[in-house]
Every structure is written in structure tokens, then in C-alpha cells.
Amino acid sequence: MTFDEIFKKVKDMFKDTDVSDVTEHIAYQFNITGEGAGSFYVEVKDGKLNIEPYEYYDRDVIFICKADTLFNIISGKTDPVMAFTLGRLKVEGSIEQALKLKNFIK
């Protein structure tokens, strides 16, 4: 998969995510490694979800993983804490904010 294909798939997976009750600003950057490597961010601001294909410098957390790991986390097939424990997901930044990612996945 190319980075563009990965990004499109991630956007599609998050398209029905309801963040209307989230009042705080949260910004996650995802650094995809391996095939289709690249960076994108997911931001929750003013009850809206934004996903853009570039780095975000005012981020709370950076997640580093392969695309298949990310897809499994978003789809609910893999618990993010378990992926972290097994070394499939690296996390830099606020662990508190990182744990809130579970609220946005299926």
C-alpha cells in the first residue's frame, strides 16, 4: 500500500466517529513505518474531527507503527495497550491523552 492509500483508508475508518461531546483539544500524530511510510494527524477540536496528511507540531501524542497495526487498532481487532506492550506500537508524549484514543475507535 502507498501512503496515499493508507491515509484514505484511515479517513474512511474514522468518517463516522462522533466527537461532538469532546470539549477539549486533542491532537494525535501517526508516523507510519515500513511500507507506505508517512505521517498524518488526527485532531479533535470544537467537537469536530480533522484528519490531514502531514505532521502536526502542536500534538499531544505521536504514535509510531506499521499500517496493519494501525488498521487493527482502529477496527477494534487489537487493543492499543496490548499493541504497545508487544512493541508493535510506540508512543511519545502524553500517555493520558494517548489512552483517550480508545474513545475514538470502534
Side-chain angles (χ1 to χ4, degrees):
M1 266 185 145
T2 67
F3 175 74
D4 290 336
E5 292 169 329
I6 293 168
F7 179 72
K8 182 182 180 326
K9 185 172 179 175
V10 168
K11 269 191 107 155
D12 287 345
M13 293 176 88
F14 274 112
K15 72 179 177 190
D16 295 326
T17 303
D18 180 14
V19 295
S20 59
D21 61 339
V22 179
T23 57
E24 66 183 311
H25 177 263
I26 303 173
Y28 299 119
Q29 180 173 310
F30 292 86
N31 292 349
I32 304 301
T33 60
E35 183 181 354
S39 297
F40 66 90
Y41 77 88
V42 175
E43 175 188 43
V44 179
K45 183 177 179 182
D46 300 326
K48 294 181 183 174
L49 184 70
N50 300 303
I51 304 173
E52 296 298 334
Y54 43 82
E55 290 189 39
Y56 191 85
Y57 294 102
D58 191 22
R59 61 196 172 239
D60 298 297
V61 181
I62 299 174
F63 294 104
I64 304 164
C65 63
K66 292 183 177 181
D68 61 336
T69 299
L70 178 61
F71 295 146
N72 286 334
I73 290 170
I74 294 171
S75 66
K77 293 178 184 174
T78 299
D79 179 75
V81 174
M82 183 60 69
F84 175 80
T85 303
L86 294 173
R88 295 183 186 145
L89 175 68
K90 294 180 183 172
V91 180
E92 297 176 3
S94 170
I95 297 300
E96 179 183 346
Q97 294 293 60
L99 290 171
K100 292 179 183 179
L101 178 66
K102 290 178 104 175
N103 298 330
F104 308 127
I105 56 180
K106 298 173 184 173

